[in-house]
Amino acid sequence: MTNSYTKTRIRKITRHFGLIPLSSKTFASFYRKNAIVQIKTESGTYAIKPFFRNLFLRSSTIHQIKTTANYIQLLMDSGFSYMPKWLTSNSGKLWTLNQGRPFYITDWIKGRNLENQKDFEEIGRALATLHTTSSRFLYTKGPFTPRQIRTWQIQDRLFRRRMTKAIQANEQNHGWYKKYGKHCKMISDRAWADLRKPEIVDLFEKELNRPALIHNDITSPNVIISDDNQLFIIDWDHIKVGSIYVDVAKTLMNTTQFNPDFIQSLLKGYEELYPLDRTERKLISSLYGLPREAWQATRFPNRPRSREMIDIMEQTWLLRLKAMDLLEEWTNQ
C-alpha cells in the first residue's frame, strides 16, 4: 500500500462527505505506513482513516464497521466529549466504501501527548466517563472479563511451551527466557491464582448485568491534548462491549510508563467518577501484572518489533515490579 492514497482516491473519499481537499499528507502509525491521511479544506482540517477488519472476529469487515459506527453514534448522541467528531457522509452513515475498504473522517486534532499528572488524571476521567456513559444505553450480556482472560491464558500456555523448547534447543533467545521467563511464569501464576478467588468470580457474575463500551486500545500515541487543553482519545477502531477492568489495566500498562505518579493520577481521575471497591481494585491489579508483552514478543521472536519489545521489557523490568507493588498497596488501601 505504498502509493495507495493518490490525490484522485482522496478526492473520491472526501467527496462522499461533502469536502473538497486543498492539500493532503499521509502519516504512519506504529503498525502501518499509511495509517491516516490529513486533509486541509476550506472548512477545516480533517483525518481520513481506513478501517481494517479485526482478524480475531469471524464477522465481515462491513459488519464490523457498521457495529463500530453504531457505538460511535451512541457516544456522540450521549455528549461524550473525549473523542474527535466523526463526520456524516452524504448517505447518512459515518463511513463510506472505496475500493472495497471502509473509510471514515474525523476532525484533525492538533496538540501534544500526555506529559504530567494532570493529564493522567484527565485520561482517568475520560475512561470512567466512557464506561459510565455507555452503560446507560447497553443491554448486551456476556462474560466480558472471563472471555478476555481465557484468551490470555492460551497465550500464556503458548509462551511457556516456547520457553521450554527454546531452552532445550539452546536457541538464540534462550538466554532471555532463562533470565526473565521464570519470573514471567511466577507473575502469571500469582495472577491466575488471584483470578480464581471466590470474590473475583462473584465479581464476574455481577459484571454480566453491567455492560459497557471500552476503547480497547488506549496507548500513549492514541491520546492527544489539544492546543486548548482538551483531552482527546483517537483511533476507535477496536471499540466494543467488554470489560472495564481490562480496559483500565491495559490503559495503565500502555500509557503510564510504570511511573508511580502517573499511575496514581490516572486511578485518582478514574475513581472520581467511578469508585472501585477492594475486589475491583484487586482484579485490575492482577490483570495489570500479566506479562502480555512477553507473550506477544516471543510469538515471533525474529521480527524487529518483537526484539524491540523484549529490549523494553529488560530495561523496565524493575520499574514494572515496583508498579505492581504500588497497585497491590492501592488494592489494600
Side-chain angles (χ1 to χ4, degrees):
M1 296 181 65
T2 304
N3 192 30
S4 58
Y5 301 129
T6 63
K7 290 183 178 180
T8 299
R9 190 177 189 191
I10 291 171
R11 282 198 299 270
K12 287 182 178 179
I13 295 170
T14 55
R15 186 175 59 193
H16 287 281
F17 293 85
L19 298 174
I20 301 176
L22 302 176
S23 64
S24 62
K25 184 178 180 181
T26 304
F27 289 84
S29 71
F30 205 78
Y31 300 102
R32 299 186 187 279
K33 185 174 182 179
N34 299 312
I36 192 167
V37 180
Q38 179 197 69
I39 58 167
K40 294 185 178 180
T41 73
E42 291 185 352
S43 59
T45 304
Y46 302 93
I48 302 178
K49 186 82 164 48
F51 180 87
F52 291 91
R53 173 175 170 265
N54 185 339
L55 298 178
F56 292 102
L57 301 178
R58 297 180 180 179
S59 53
S60 68
T61 303
I62 299 302
H63 180 272
Q64 289 183 24
I65 184 60
K66 286 182 178 179
T67 301
T68 297
N70 287 338
Y71 291 152
I72 295 297
Q73 189 66 62
L74 286 172
L75 288 177
M76 290 197 301
D77 292 344
S78 69
F80 183 73
S81 62
Y82 289 101
M83 67 179 180
K85 178 184 176 182
W86 286 44
L87 274 61
T88 304
S89 68
N90 297 333
S91 64
K93 298 182 295 187
L94 295 178
W95 56 279
T96 189
L97 271 181
N98 181 269
Q99 298 181 15
R101 171 75 61 195
F103 287 82
Y104 61 90
I105 297 182
T106 71
D107 288 338
W108 181 271
I109 306 300
K110 179 184 177 183
R112 58 176 176 82
N113 296 122
L114 296 163
E115 292 180 352
N116 53 55
Q117 290 176 247
K118 183 178 179 181
D119 293 341
F120 281 92
E121 281 190 31
E122 190 64 13
I123 190 61
R125 283 189 284 268
L127 201 57
T129 302
L130 170 64
H131 297 162
T132 56
T133 298
S134 59
S135 65
R136 295 199 297 266
F137 51 68
L138 291 174
Y139 305 98
T140 304
K141 293 186 178 182
F144 308 117
T145 306
R147 184 185 297 130
Q148 179 64 74
I149 289 173
R150 284 194 293 271
T151 299
W152 286 342
Q153 285 174 329
I154 293 172
Q155 294 175 351
D156 186 27
R157 287 196 292 270
L158 292 173
F159 169 78
R160 296 175 193 230
R161 292 174 190 170
R162 286 191 291 268
M163 178 173 66
T164 301
K165 181 180 177 181
I167 293 175
Q168 291 175 345
N170 201 32
E171 292 179 1
Q172 183 178 358
N173 58 348
H174 77 281
W176 186 91
Y177 281 115
K178 283 187 175 181
K179 187 174 182 180
Y180 294 102
K182 290 183 178 179
H183 289 286
C184 290
K185 180 178 178 295
M186 290 172 57
I187 291 172
S188 297
D189 287 342
R190 186 172 66 182
W192 300 137
D194 287 337
L195 295 171
R196 287 193 293 268
K197 291 181 177 179
E199 61 270 26
I200 297 292
V201 175
D202 288 343
L203 179 57
F204 294 159
E205 292 296 320
K206 294 177 181 178
E207 188 186 30
L208 295 176
N209 298 313
R210 294 185 298 180
L213 288 176
I214 65 172
H215 182 278
N216 203 36
D217 190 31
I218 297 181
T219 61
S220 295
N222 283 342
V223 182
I224 300 175
I225 311 296
S226 67
D227 290 341
D228 58 356
N229 288 321
Q230 168 70 35
L231 185 143
F232 288 94
I233 305 170
I234 63 173
D235 198 0
W236 289 79
D237 293 37
H238 299 292
I239 186 175
K240 67 175 185 177
V241 180
S243 167
I244 65 172
Y245 309 111
V246 170
D247 215 23
V248 173
K250 288 175 65 175
T251 302
L252 285 168
M253 179 61 70
N254 294 336
T255 64
T256 61
Q257 302 159 2
F258 310 108
N259 183 311
D261 292 332
F262 293 166
I263 292 173
Q264 292 173 327
S265 295
L266 193 154
L267 294 171
K268 176 184 176 183
Y270 189 88
E271 291 199 281
E272 284 181 6
L273 302 179
Y274 196 121
L276 299 162
D277 62 30
R278 186 180 184 280
T279 303
E280 291 176 306
R281 289 183 173 190
K282 184 63 178 177
L283 175 54
I284 292 171
S285 176
S286 299
L287 295 174
Y288 176 88
L290 292 171
R292 295 181 294 108
E293 301 97 318
W295 302 341
Q296 294 296 325
T298 55
R299 184 180 179 185
F300 304 105
N302 295 324
R303 291 183 178 179
R305 168 60 177 154
S306 296
R307 185 63 254 176
E308 182 181 341
M309 292 176 67
I310 290 295
D311 290 342
I312 292 174
M313 283 201 69
E314 291 184 5
Q315 296 165 11
T316 61
W317 187 254
L318 293 179
L319 294 176
R320 173 189 294 266
L321 297 180
K322 290 180 180 179
M324 291 170 59
D325 290 340
L326 173 66
L327 287 175
E328 188 65 26
E329 294 176 6
W330 170 68
T331 296
N332 296 320
Q333 286 177 358

